[in-house]
Amino acid sequence: MTIESPWWRDAVIYQVYPRSFADSDGDGTGDLPGIRARLPHLAELGVDAVWLSPFYASPQADAGYDVADYRAVDPVFGTLDDAAALIGDAHELGLRVITDLVPNHCSDRHAWFLEALEAEPGSAARARFHFRDGRGPGGDLPPNDWESVFGGPAWTRTTGPDGRPGQWYLHLFAPEQPDFDWDCEDVREEFRAVLRFWLDLGVDGFRVDVAHGLVKAPGLPDVGVAARDQVKLLGVRPTPYFDQDGVHAVYREWRKILEEYGPDRIAVAEAWAPSQQRVARYVRPDELHQAFNFSYLTTPWDADALRAAVDDSLAATGEVGAPATWVLSNHDVVRHRTRLGGGLDRARAATLLMLALPGSAYLYQGEELGLPEVVDLPDGVRQDPAFGRSGSAGAGSGQEGLRDGCRVPLPWSGTTASYGFGPGAASWLPQPAEWAKLSVAAQDGDPGSTLELYRAALRLRRGLPQLGEGALEWVDGAPEGVLMARRTAAGAVGPAVLVAANTGGAAALLDVPDGAELLLSGGGEPVRGSDGGTLLPADCCAWWAV
């Protein structure tokens, strides 16, 4: 008797950024009814689950990652009934739903923080956050040297009812996002209740935002690194505010709650840590189920570097019995079609390589259409809160203030704005005119389109156990710049799948076994020569049954 592996160990999960996915009412902003109407697209694409970025009540200082009420839907996105209906429809289509959870910080409009501002220093209300006296004469300097990820000091000073300067509060992101103090039992109990609220509504899991940030080092010591250099340490070396050992006690509590609702409910960590081994601590058997693989996302298109990243990831997660996860794009980074260079061919090849790796894969909305990063948005329309604070306008990527370029609303159909995004012409960020040719309607049914490539890849991945949790064995002796591997299913059921990706600048001659059946290729088409060799174009990845 074969014991079926838990769904999440090799799932393909699709990230929806609600503001930019689909607009139901024509106001230019995506919403839950819009997402609900487009769920059939995701079911046809072949993904297993949908991860929704925040749609909670929020002033939208950071696109919903500043939560004012964790149990309410922001009116811009709909209602709690809309959320319940979306979850129900998704389940009927065979899709699971994962919601974003933001436990490191809330909005400065959250009832708790408003109460804390009115309370006295040392009060129970202030104990839920990090309020501290300032340093220097009159307390005019921040309590320590910590820097916000969005730029500038991680501290903002309050003003008392009498107009006099008061204590400072900690915000590792925007000033509108005060950090919770997770040493406070009120905070821990509140989030246990929030988990149960959404689980009772039917969600299948949570993506935990800034999972590495909840617990700070005792005494809040200085980092000792100059301003604007601290962000460069994220995921590189320890800091007193990220990846502290105390976070793991929180996640052990959460795992018990998830298991109360059955074995299929999961939590996924957005965890930056100095090594894959540190990241793997978040997915030990009694903690969370998955952790995003940022080391893979940041790996260049280079065969040796990719192999090393894959080996490191598989070794680290294997030590704790967890699956690896793979991701190329999300709402915080430049889309991989642009970031990797090489254009659409390279992006398609990178996707096929990722989908052939053992474990779970994450897709970001629009990558199935081959969307590039929008790099020429006018400064006046940008809404990333880091844009004005970082001093990096016009340069850089990621959280240097230019994240709007990967958040431009999707094109669904038509030749004029908003390209089917909503019933009106408006969209909260302008869409490039050339996106009309990249819309879902324009690519649907075209065998050469990126959309059909994704559909075919996900269909094969779902149908071939070799591409799930099975073994990966590197094929040594491949030409320089080529990554080759064999995937076999547990128990060696069925043929192996041979995967080859050419990261070099020229076509490469491969030794593909006689009788191998080409299953799929992206970025180009391998050509079988008369001498028995197979020519794999540059920026191409192919799968064969062998």
Side-chain angles (χ1 to χ4, degrees):
M1 178 179 176
T2 301
I3 299 176
E4 190 172 333
S5 179
W7 71 272
W8 45 270
R9 293 190 67 92
D10 62 358
V12 177
I13 300 173
Y14 184 102
Q15 181 189 359
V16 166
Y17 191 72
R19 299 181 80 194
S20 301
F21 191 70
D23 169 24
S24 71
D25 56 14
D27 66 355
T29 300
D31 47 43
L32 296 183
I35 298 168
R36 183 184 176 195
R38 296 293 189 179
L39 288 174
H41 166 73
L42 302 182
E44 185 177 1
L45 186 63
V47 299
D48 299 291
V50 182
W51 153 33
L52 301 172
S53 291
F55 51 81
Y56 308 110
S58 166
Q60 303 296 320
D62 183 22
Y65 283 93
D66 50 316
V67 180
D69 187 341
Y70 289 87
R71 297 173 179 81
V73 173
D74 195 282
V76 74
F77 297 124
T79 66
L80 199 57
D81 286 341
D82 291 326
L86 188 160
I87 294 167
D89 283 4
H91 288 167
E92 288 184 7
L93 289 168
L95 298 168
R96 301 176 192 269
V97 177
I98 295 170
T99 57
D100 227 309
L101 187 67
V102 189
N104 179 70
H105 49 261
C106 63
S107 166
D108 62 353
R109 311 284 181 84
H110 190 286
W112 276 8
F113 191 71
L114 295 175
E115 180 186 358
L117 290 177
E118 296 295 324
E120 294 293 323
S123 64
R126 289 204 169 187
R128 297 164 175 161
F129 301 91
H130 295 276
F131 280 89
R132 296 292 187 275
D133 293 332
R135 298 194 289 194
D140 292 338
L141 297 177
N144 63 26
D145 67 355
W146 294 4
E147 183 184 22
S148 163
V149 173
F150 288 166
W155 296 90
T156 290
R157 196 170 193 184
T158 62
T159 301
D162 58 0
R164 299 174 62 183
Q167 287 189 306
W168 298 70
Y169 69 88
L170 176 68
H171 53 85
L172 290 179
F173 293 86
E176 297 89 349
Q177 296 169 289
D179 278 45
F180 286 114
D181 187 340
W182 275 81
D183 288 336
C184 176
E185 180 56 28
D186 283 359
V187 175
R188 292 176 181 247
E189 178 53 37
E190 168 66 2
F191 276 91
R192 290 193 289 264
V194 168
L195 288 176
R196 288 192 169 94
F197 177 87
W198 289 101
L199 290 167
D200 287 341
L201 199 68
V203 302
D204 299 283
F206 303 92
R207 176 264 190 185
V208 184
D209 185 62
V210 195
H212 53 285
L214 276 56
V215 174
K216 280 68 174 175
L220 310 185
D222 284 345
V223 179
V225 175
R228 288 312 298 158
D229 286 337
Q230 288 185 29
V231 172
K232 299 174 185 176
L233 303 180
L234 183 58
V236 176
R237 56 163 268 197
T239 65
Y241 48 79
F242 283 152
D243 192 37
Q244 295 294 305
D245 288 344
V247 300
H248 299 289
V250 175
Y251 300 135
R252 284 191 285 272
E253 289 183 354
W254 289 11
R255 180 64 177 252
K256 292 177 183 176
I257 293 172
L258 291 164
E259 290 180 348
E260 289 175 15
Y261 288 80
D264 287 345
R265 309 292 181 98
I266 72 167
V268 183
E270 182 208 26
W272 289 88
S275 69
Q276 281 296 310
Q277 288 68 33
R278 292 289 299 184
V279 173
R281 289 164 58 86
Y282 291 80
V283 290
R284 289 176 289 192
D286 61 344
E287 295 190 38
L288 306 182
H289 299 75
Q290 294 182 346
F292 287 136
N293 192 336
F294 293 116
S295 69
Y296 186 78
L297 182 150
T298 57
T299 301
W301 184 241
D302 174 84
D304 291 340
L306 287 165
R307 178 168 174 170
V310 171
D311 283 344
D312 194 24
S313 300
L314 292 176
T317 55
E319 287 179 4
V320 296
T325 65
W326 315 102
V327 61
L328 290 170
S329 289
N330 64 37
H331 66 293
D332 279 336
V333 300
V334 172
R335 287 186 176 275
H336 71 271
R337 172 175 172 176
T338 301
R339 189 184 72 252
L340 293 177
L344 183 58
D345 280 353
R346 184 171 295 178
R348 288 159 59 109
T351 295
L352 284 195
L353 175 60
M354 178 186 75
L355 291 175
L357 297 174
S360 179
Y362 281 77
L363 308 179
Y364 177 53
Q365 65 176 42
E367 69 172 81
E368 78 274 20
L369 305 177
L371 297 185
E373 185 81 0
V374 181
V375 297
D376 57 355
L377 287 171
D379 289 358
V381 304
R382 292 187 179 275
Q383 298 188 30
D384 185 342
F387 181 68
R389 291 169 55 83
S390 63
S392 62
S397 62
Q399 293 191 329
E400 293 178 346
L402 302 181
R403 294 178 295 168
D404 293 307
C406 64
R407 301 176 178 184
V408 174
L410 297 189
W412 290 92
S413 61
T415 58
T416 58
S418 62
Y419 307 107
F421 170 65
S427 58
W428 71 278
L429 285 173
Q431 302 154 298
E434 57 268 25
W435 278 20
K437 298 178 181 178
L438 298 176
S439 72
V440 174
Q443 298 193 45
D444 185 35
D446 177 358
S449 72
T450 303
L451 175 59
E452 294 298 345
L453 177 71
Y454 270 69
R455 287 172 174 169
L458 295 178
R459 201 160 45 239
L460 283 168
R461 181 183 166 99
R462 178 169 288 183
L464 293 172
Q466 300 90 322
L467 293 176
E469 268 205 283
L472 178 144
E473 177 188 357
W474 296 116
V475 177
D476 294 322
E480 184 177 356
V482 175
L483 200 61
M484 292 186 72
R486 291 170 59 92
R487 297 295 321 281
T488 53
V493 177
V497 174
L498 178 66
V499 179
N502 186 358
T503 71
L509 190 64
L510 307 184
D511 182 15
V512 177
D514 291 338
E517 176 191 359
L518 179 65
L519 300 172
L520 193 63
S521 66
E525 188 80 16
V527 178
R528 188 80 170 177
S530 57
D531 59 354
T534 297
L535 202 63
L536 187 69
D539 292 330
C540 178
C541 181
W543 300 351
W544 291 269
V546 295

